[in-house]
Amino acid sequence: MVPEIASRNHIEAISRVTKKSLKEAKVDWKDIDAITPTYGPGLVGTLLVGLSYAKALSYAKKIPLVGVNHIQGHIASNYITHKELEPPFICVMMSGGNTQIIKVEDYTQFEVLGKTRDDAIGEAFDKVARVVGLTYPGGPKVDRLAQEGKPNIELPKTHFEEDTLDFSFSGIKTAVINIHHKTPNINKADLCASFQKTVTETLMENVEKAIQKTGIKKVALAGGVSSNSYIRKEFLLLEKKQIKVYQPDLKLCTDNGAMIASAGYYNYLAKKMNSLNLNAIPNLKM
Ligand code: KG4
């Protein structure tokens, strides 16, 4: 991705997308209670385009500005799909830039229990895809190819101290690269299936630890990688252990505006308004 081109594309699209959204939702400006842009984490240029546009609208239409953390948006995608879902729950946030286990204490209150110490899981999926010759974004293609393979190749798992819920995905990514270099005619579908199975096991081991640590028996998935068919299937098996599992609709897993609006709604109810001084924060934490 070229940040400058992404920003320019945002500028070209933002007005048109806003008008189209209002039209499709059959609402007028008088029906809008708040403007809820995301202000981080992300690329500073694209964040600034959205944020500046939102500030201008907030000022011109005299509607409150309510900033949203992008990760909070992913978590809130679950409230759109599962109207009955209420905090507290454990959220497994898996995207191209983040991998975190988050305790959702309330709609606007969070505690990060564990996170990746190096690559995000989506980054690892995209890298594995590139190694086996699939184009970006590679995650969905690895998912499809893995369905034709068997998880019969042993890959490493990184283990940290017993009490941490942190992850590492760089070791397995490097292992896949090395295996592919040493055995170029390896069965690519088997390699993808093995990678997918191993990272899923790693995720689930830490999620089970989070359940034990907090006593919370509700787990929600979020982020682009939560559209992975194998991960979705494996997490559902937790229901046999009386853990309730929530997964966003596929169209709400990857980045989208509806999830940001959903999080913005809860920030608005919690009266978390911002002034027009709100700035983009590329490395905003939860
Ligand atoms: O959350 P997202 O749309 O964007 C951000 O990173 O913020 O996530 C994108 C990531 C990419 O790495 C993409 O390859 C991955 O999600 N992804 C998948 C699947 N669909 C998207 N990874 C594995 N399996 C999928 N089906």
Side-chain angles (χ1 to χ4, degrees):
M1 192 184 293
V2 181
E4 183 56 26
I5 296 177
S7 306
R8 279 164 196 249
N9 287 346
H10 270 55
I11 293 172
E12 282 169 20
I14 198 157
S15 248
R16 180 169 35 88
V17 168
T18 306
K19 282 186 194 137
K20 193 164 178 238
S21 307
L22 289 169
K23 195 170 166 204
E24 281 185 20
K26 297 190 181 63
V27 292
D28 200 350
W29 282 110
K30 65 176 176 351
D31 306 311
I32 305 286
D33 298 306
I35 309 274
T36 69
T38 183
Y39 64 105
L43 293 172
V44 71
T46 45
L47 288 171
L48 280 173
V49 174
L51 187 56
S52 308
Y53 189 80
K55 284 188 197 175
L57 281 174
S58 162
Y59 181 75
K61 306 280 183 194
K62 299 185 177 53
I63 304 171
L65 183 75
V66 180
V68 171
N69 181 314
H70 178 89
I71 309 293
Q72 188 198 348
H74 275 295
I75 296 170
S77 63
N78 279 287
Y79 301 129
I80 306 175
T81 305
H82 305 285
K83 305 280 185 260
E84 76 286 7
L85 174 62
E86 287 175 5
F89 59 90
I90 302 292
C91 184
V92 197
M93 168 62 209
M94 306 171 274
S95 72
N98 283 279
T99 312
Q100 295 178 345
I101 297 184
I102 299 167
K103 182 178 164 197
V104 181
E105 291 168 348
D106 205 339
Y107 292 98
T108 62
Q109 218 176 311
F110 311 91
E111 185 191 349
V112 177
L113 301 177
K115 59 182 183 317
T116 178
R117 293 194 186 175
D118 41 54
D119 296 354
I121 187 168
E123 227 176 312
F125 263 97
D126 293 333
K127 188 70 198 230
V128 166
R130 202 160 83 199
V131 169
V132 301
L134 302 169
T135 53
Y136 182 86
K141 291 158 199 151
V142 170
D143 187 352
R144 273 196 296 278
L145 186 57
Q147 289 168 26
E148 296 163 25
K150 288 190 199 71
N152 53 10
I153 300 165
E154 197 165 328
L155 293 168
K157 283 187 204 163
T158 307
H159 290 288
F160 295 119
E161 317 81 71
E162 189 48 40
D163 60 338
T164 180
L165 300 186
D166 283 354
F167 300 102
S168 162
F169 295 106
S170 70
I172 185 166
K173 179 189 80 181
T174 309
V176 170
I177 296 170
N178 289 342
I179 289 173
H180 192 263
H181 277 318
K182 282 190 199 136
T183 329
N185 56 354
I186 195 160
N187 184 314
K188 292 182 168 54
D190 289 351
L191 193 55
C192 288
S194 306
F195 166 77
Q196 213 170 245
K197 178 169 181 275
T198 311
V199 290
T200 307
E201 281 169 6
T202 306
L203 284 172
M204 297 198 55
E205 280 164 22
N206 280 9
V207 168
E208 296 215 36
K209 276 198 218 168
I211 294 167
Q212 262 173 12
K213 193 171 169 175
T214 60
I216 297 174
K217 297 192 165 210
K218 289 195 278 185
V219 174
L221 307 188
V225 180
S226 65
S227 46
N228 182 275
S229 60
Y230 182 80
I231 293 178
R232 289 174 86 90
K233 199 176 74 201
E234 288 298 301
F235 266 91
L236 279 180
L237 296 178
L238 286 175
E239 299 222 320
K240 287 193 185 147
K241 298 182 186 173
Q242 273 65 56
I243 312 286
K244 186 86 186 86
V245 177
Y246 300 86
Q247 309 187 338
D249 272 348
L250 286 178
K251 65 175 184 226
L252 293 170
C253 289
T254 42
D255 289 352
N256 64 87
M259 70 184 198
I260 302 296
S262 172
Y265 169 73
Y266 291 104
N267 286 355
Y268 175 75
L269 292 185
K271 301 197 171 21
K272 293 190 177 237
M273 319 303 180
N274 292 100
S275 78
L276 293 181
N277 290 330
L278 183 66
N279 207 349
I281 306 180
N283 59 354
L284 183 66
K285 303 277 179 288
M286 278 301 282

